[in-house]
């Protein structure tokens, strides 16, 4: 599992694949990056 972070609102989510949209603010997948 990877941790994904939204660069717009800093919300994080865990999953194998990058989310299509941010569950918190609705930003597109381009805004979601893998958290280090």
């Amino acid at each position: 599992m990877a941790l994904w972070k939204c660069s717009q609102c800093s919300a994080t989510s865990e999953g194998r694949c990058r989310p299509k949209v941010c569950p918190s603010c609705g930003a597109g997948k381009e805004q979601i990056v893998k958290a280090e």
Side-chain angles (χ1 to χ4, degrees), residues 16-29:
R16 209 175 301 181
C17 301
R18 181 188 342 203
K20 289 187 182 5
V21 294
C22 174
S24 187
C25 72
K29 68 178 182 179

Side-chain angles (χ1 to χ4, degrees), residues 3-35:
L3 190 62
W4 301 95
K5 183 176 180 179
C6 177
S7 58
Q8 292 277 2
C9 69
S10 299
T12 57
S13 60
E14 197 173 352
R16 209 175 301 181
C17 301
R18 181 188 342 203
K20 289 187 182 5
V21 294
C22 174
S24 187
C25 72
K29 68 178 182 179
E30 309 81 37
Q31 303 298 321
I32 301 171
V33 294
K34 200 171 201 177

